[in-house]
Amino acid sequence: MFGFKKKNITENEQVVLEENDSAELNSSVEETNTETETPNANETAPEADAAPVIEESGDSDLVDTNEEVKKKGFFAKLKQGLTKTRDNIKNRIDVAFDESRQIDDEFYEDLEEALVMADVGIDATEGIIERLQQKVKERHIYDARECKKLLLDSIKEQMSLEKDAYDFENTQSVVLVIGVNGVGKTTTVGKLAHNLKDNGRKVMIVAADTFRAAATEQLEEWAKRADVDIISAQEGADPSGVVFDAVQSAKKKNIDTLICDTAGRLHNKKNLMEELKKMNRIIDREFPNAKRENFIVLDGTTGQNALIQAREFANVADLTGIIITKLDGTAKGGIVVAIQSELKIPVKYIGVGEGIEDLQRFDANAFVDALFE
């Protein structure tokens, strides 16, 4: 557009999804794209290799805090977490919106460079600039400072969530949490369970990542911290079997929200994507009235690699929301804008720390303000 050209990725230039998982993830996508799945109406429920372990929740020692104080504290943490991103673009933004600047091609070039440097991405940046140019022309704006407000308002509007974005929190629901290893998926499951339990929901966690040795143990610890039930099985058990047993237990106990942790890599060479499809079929068949959510967890520090991961999973899963983790201390916070802009999948939660309270609903206004001001 203004000197930034998109680069076609060749076979030798593919972005690595994750150091240890890319080969398997890519092969999974290729197999999924070349094979047509035939639904089996007589598909029987899978059996877990061992009887699931059900741990009952104990008394919670979490202390309720004032909601407004929590929000202010989270915004401060978000702003602090995005310091590196903000510092990375601050000088360019200041130059672009200097009050003495004229709104001309050079102005837009400087602004575009600032957005790209924040990892907003070429496609998203071009869209943002085009919308800004149109509004500036329609409103006959000549003041660069007024143009900045217009820019921020435009990005906020673009990233705003629909009114029903969190309806699953108020009805019986099943949340499937997916993503490659190392993005903070298991930790996110624990934090989400805590948030829902804190809001009066009856929550159960499913440890369906049976191929990573420490996954179940880690999730059991988070279940204790969040004070929720968990269903798990021995290492190497059939993940879909664990999900089947969890659904039966959830219906019996009248659980409000069932959150399923899934594998980021299957060590026994099974196809990851096919396993996710199998879980979806079981949930749809055994829990047809539950509201469904498929969340992908992405590491905010990986920048454009996070976008690549989201694309790959979106090819085979009906993603309904994105959770961005590790936004504290990243210089690539603009990737949140890029992902939402390109995939049209809403960012629903963001994480800015290791604490159990550090996963919160996404607030477009607070995020954009923290990123650019």
Side-chain angles (χ1 to χ4, degrees):
M1 182 177 176
F2 290 108
F4 290 96
K5 296 182 179 179
K6 287 183 272 189
K7 182 178 179 182
N8 294 324
I9 300 177
T10 67
E11 294 182 0
N12 295 325
E13 296 174 309
Q14 290 181 347
V15 180
V16 178
L17 298 183
E18 187 176 43
E19 187 174 350
N20 296 323
D21 296 337
S22 59
E24 185 169 358
L25 183 57
N26 288 334
S27 66
S28 298
V29 175
E30 291 173 2
E31 291 175 27
T32 303
N33 290 338
T34 55
E35 296 179 7
T36 302
E37 180 184 358
T38 303
N40 184 357
N42 300 318
E43 182 180 8
T44 58
E47 297 182 0
D49 294 2
V53 179
I54 304 178
E55 296 184 9
E56 301 293 342
S57 60
D59 294 332
S60 173
D61 58 358
L62 298 175
V63 179
D64 291 333
T65 58
N66 181 275
E67 192 63 29
E68 286 302 316
V69 172
K70 288 168 67 176
K71 285 183 178 179
K72 289 179 180 178
F74 185 77
F75 176 75
K77 191 171 289 187
L78 172 63
K79 191 170 183 178
Q80 177 64 32
L82 291 173
T83 297
K84 288 185 179 179
T85 302
R86 196 166 52 251
D87 289 348
N88 192 33
I89 63 174
K90 187 177 187 306
N91 289 337
R92 294 182 178 86
I93 288 290
D94 288 345
V95 169
F97 289 108
D98 185 274
E99 61 181 9
S100 64
R101 289 291 302 270
Q102 290 185 342
I103 300 178
D104 52 19
D105 285 349
E106 185 178 356
F107 164 80
Y108 288 117
E109 287 175 4
D110 289 343
L111 180 56
E112 184 174 38
E113 181 180 358
L115 294 174
V116 171
M117 290 301 295
D119 234 31
V120 170
I122 300 295
D123 290 338
T125 296
E126 288 184 349
I128 289 170
I129 296 296
E130 287 174 2
R131 288 192 299 274
L132 180 63
Q133 287 177 310
Q134 182 65 30
K135 290 182 178 180
V136 166
K137 182 178 180 180
E138 291 174 351
R139 302 183 187 186
H140 306 287
I141 293 174
Y142 304 99
D143 188 330
R145 289 172 299 181
E146 187 177 350
C147 189
K148 180 179 181 180
K149 183 180 183 304
L150 197 63
L151 169 70
L152 300 188
D153 288 344
S154 177
I155 297 176
K156 289 175 182 178
E157 181 181 357
Q158 172 188 319
M159 301 196 70
S160 294
L161 297 170
E162 298 293 334
K163 291 182 179 180
D164 63 353
Y166 300 100
D167 278 1
F168 81 96
E169 293 185 355
N170 302 309
T171 188
Q172 195 167 42
S173 56
V174 179
V175 179
L176 201 63
V177 182
I178 64 178
V180 300
N181 288 343
V183 297
K185 186 168 68 271
T186 300
T187 299
T188 296
V189 169
K191 293 178 180 179
L192 181 59
H194 164 73
N195 285 357
L196 295 174
K197 173 68 183 295
D198 212 31
N199 289 330
R201 303 286 289 170
K202 192 175 181 181
V203 182
M204 177 181 285
I205 292 175
V206 188
D209 182 358
T210 61
F211 296 93
R212 186 165 64 89
T216 297
E217 181 180 346
Q218 182 184 5
L219 200 58
E220 286 173 349
E221 180 59 33
W222 275 105
K224 290 179 182 177
R225 294 181 64 184
D227 189 30
V228 300
D229 293 351
I230 181 171
I231 288 190
S232 61
Q234 68 182 22
E235 182 182 345
D238 179 10
S240 296
V242 181
V243 170
F244 175 82
D245 289 329
V247 168
Q248 305 312 313
S249 179
K251 290 192 294 185
K252 183 178 180 181
K253 292 186 174 185
N254 198 27
I255 293 294
D256 294 321
T257 304
L258 184 67
I259 308 176
C260 305
D261 186 24
T262 63
R265 177 177 64 180
L266 298 183
H267 293 181
N268 61 353
K269 307 302 181 183
K270 286 184 179 179
N271 186 295
L272 170 61
M273 300 304 183
E274 290 302 320
E275 191 64 44
L276 291 174
K277 285 183 177 181
K278 189 176 180 182
M279 290 181 189
N280 272 309
R281 290 197 303 270
I282 290 170
I283 296 170
D284 287 342
R285 184 187 66 212
E286 300 296 327
F287 218 163
N289 295 325
K291 183 170 179 58
R292 294 295 313 280
E293 293 284 351
N294 293 330
F295 292 159
I296 183 171
V297 181
L298 302 171
D299 182 345
T301 67
T302 61
Q304 292 297 313
N305 278 345
L307 179 57
I308 298 297
Q309 291 171 25
R311 283 185 194 139
E312 298 291 356
F313 277 103
N315 287 333
V316 293
D318 181 19
L319 299 179
T320 60
I322 295 171
I323 301 176
I324 308 286
T325 64
K326 307 179 185 180
L327 281 177
D328 50 318
T330 178
K332 302 178 179 180
I335 191 61
V336 178
V337 182
I339 292 171
Q340 191 277 339
S341 176
E342 177 171 332
L343 300 180
K344 303 298 186 291
I345 301 170
V347 177
K348 292 193 175 181
Y349 297 91
I350 56 175
V352 292
E354 295 297 325
I356 199 168
E357 301 278 356
D358 291 336
L359 180 76
Q360 294 290 328
R361 287 183 176 186
F362 179 73
D363 183 328
N365 291 338
F367 179 81
V368 174
D369 287 343
L371 186 63
F372 291 101
E373 294 186 349

